[in-house]
Amino acid sequence: MVTTAHPAASADASPTATATRVLAVRHLGPNWYASVMGTAIIANAGATLPYGFAGLRTGCTIVWALSFLMLAVLLTARAAHWIHHRDQARAHLLDPAVAPFYGCLSMALLAVGAGTLIVGEDWIGTRAAVAVDTVLFTAGTLIGLAAAVVIPYLMVVRHRIAADQASPVWLLPVVAPMVSAAVGPLLIPHLPAGQAQQTMLYACFAMFGLSLLATLVMLPVIFARLVTAGPLPLALTPTLFLVLGPLGQSTTAANKFADFAPHVVTAPLDRGFLVLAVLYGVPVMGFALMWLALAAAMVVRAGRRGMGFAMTWWAFTFPVGTCVTGAEGLGKHTGLAVFDWLATALFVFLVAAVTVALTHTLRGVVSGRLLATPPRM
């Protein structure tokens, strides 16, 4: 005897399943783009390590492909979030703890785009890689510049923030243009010689200055909050690593300018960019290492007090990755082996951090814990 499902039962299943999928993205915030950034930076940093080994580039290309897939899935899920949960999306923009993470969208696009040009071309070809990176770089830069203005504007006119709520998360919108400054020069060789290449170089240099000065405005406020109000809440302690982002990324950008300037501008400006890379990058990398030690000590303290996994653990990834690329550039332009050793050591930490964060994130997604209504802090 053959049993046939009732038509009504079949018709009811689809709307229920759709509603469940839609509800699953209600609390999917822009902070999830940090997982894409943190994964992509492995490919970008690993491909230019001073000490290579067999299979490294292939491994980096596989990681880039994973980050590309993660970006596509997340963009789709976030689109569903905006379509079906506009009230929650608006609430995110008006929440001072969530709104700064909109800078992560820009950086995810830029990081994956750069990886496409650095290692993705091995699989898809140079022409396709340039086309993909052009689209992602353009979209990421425009979104980053918008976030650098809109989010601080909302912080001033709409958000109500107490002095003890200052957080390293505030750096995310203003550091996004620095990522554009660091990866934009990769497109210079693929632009027409002359005005087009020079415009790209100077546009990236302008975004370097924009992001650097905005960071210098915010860093004293963040440090003042730490020394006057005490340590951050346990779940937010990993965000102290976000300070490394503008430090490592600006060092990377300065070194990229030195790499490409000789082919774009004439003397003495070409040499000026090389001088900038070294005289700016070395002291900033020194400060980055000091902050890394301070942040690590605070994380150890939080761990002893019961800090569990949260999406903030992705702060251990991308910012450290920028220090890897910054150290790689300094090693190239100073000739000092110590920077090559530093880049390699930080890369090992980066791979370990991404592995741990990605594993816990997958577990949280499967169990539904990370997609549940978040507790208020």
Side-chain angles (χ1 to χ4, degrees):
M1 180 177 180
V2 178
T3 302
T4 304
H6 194 280
S10 177
D12 290 342
S14 181
T16 302
T18 300
T20 300
R21 289 193 297 268
V22 168
L23 186 61
V25 301
R26 176 166 179 79
H27 299 289
L28 187 73
N31 59 311
W32 281 74
Y33 286 112
S35 63
V36 178
M37 298 158 49
T39 304
I41 196 68
I42 287 184
N44 300 357
T48 52
L49 273 179
Y51 303 115
F53 55 86
L56 175 61
R57 187 171 180 88
T58 300
C60 289
T61 309
I62 292 172
V63 173
W64 160 78
L66 174 61
S67 70
F68 198 101
L69 177 62
M70 291 170 63
L71 177 63
V73 171
L74 194 51
L75 286 172
T76 302
R78 284 286 297 164
H81 171 85
W82 270 94
I83 292 171
H84 298 288
H85 303 289
R86 292 181 184 177
D87 61 322
Q88 187 65 28
R90 287 192 293 268
H92 283 165
L93 279 173
L94 297 178
D95 187 340
V98 179
F101 283 100
Y102 272 92
C104 291
L105 168 57
S106 166
M107 291 184 279
L109 294 169
L110 293 166
V112 174
T116 304
L117 203 52
I118 294 172
V119 295
E121 68 172 354
D122 293 353
W123 287 3
I124 66 175
T126 300
R127 186 172 181 177
V130 171
V132 171
D133 186 34
T134 299
V135 172
L136 294 180
F137 173 79
T138 302
T141 298
L142 292 176
I143 292 171
L145 291 173
V149 175
V150 173
I151 301 305
Y153 174 84
L154 290 175
M155 292 172 67
V156 173
V157 303
R158 296 299 297 273
H159 299 166
R160 293 296 174 262
I161 305 172
D164 62 354
Q165 291 179 306
S167 165
V169 171
W170 290 5
L171 294 170
L172 292 173
V174 299
V175 77
M178 187 66 80
V179 180
S180 292
V183 303
L186 296 175
L187 286 169
I188 287 178
H190 305 284
L191 294 173
Q195 287 285 317
Q197 291 186 342
Q198 292 173 9
T199 299
M200 174 62 88
L201 177 65
Y202 285 118
C204 291
F205 195 30
M207 288 187 286
F208 170 90
L210 179 162
S211 183
L212 177 62
L213 294 177
T215 298
L216 293 177
V217 169
M218 290 191 174
L219 269 182
V221 179
I222 295 168
F223 187 71
R225 179 256 176 259
L226 292 175
V227 298
T228 58
L232 295 172
L234 296 184
L236 294 179
T237 302
T239 64
L240 289 170
F241 273 67
L242 294 177
V243 175
L244 298 175
L247 302 176
Q249 199 64 271
S250 61
T251 302
T252 301
N255 280 280
K256 290 300 180 185
F257 300 155
D259 286 340
F260 291 95
H263 309 289
V264 178
V265 297
T266 57
L269 290 177
D270 58 341
R271 298 294 299 174
F273 279 108
L274 175 59
V275 171
L276 172 70
V278 175
L279 296 188
Y280 171 85
V282 172
V284 169
M285 186 58 66
F287 179 72
L289 292 176
M290 183 277 288
W291 190 272
L292 175 61
L294 174 63
M298 298 297 291
V299 167
V300 170
R301 175 186 179 277
R304 290 175 176 174
R305 285 163 172 74
M307 179 187 71
F309 175 76
M311 288 299 288
T312 52
W313 280 34
W314 283 100
F316 296 138
T317 61
F318 189 81
V320 173
T322 68
C323 292
V324 175
T325 54
E328 289 171 352
L330 289 175
K332 175 181 178 181
H333 292 125
T334 64
L336 295 177
V338 66
F339 287 115
D340 295 339
W341 302 338
L342 175 62
T344 304
L346 290 175
F347 183 75
V348 172
F349 175 87
L350 171 65
V351 172
V354 171
T355 301
V356 171
L358 187 58
T359 300
H360 281 284
T361 300
L362 290 174
R363 289 176 181 173
V365 170
V366 172
S367 67
R369 183 179 68 85
L370 290 178
L371 296 175
T373 304
R376 296 297 300 176
M377 292 186 179

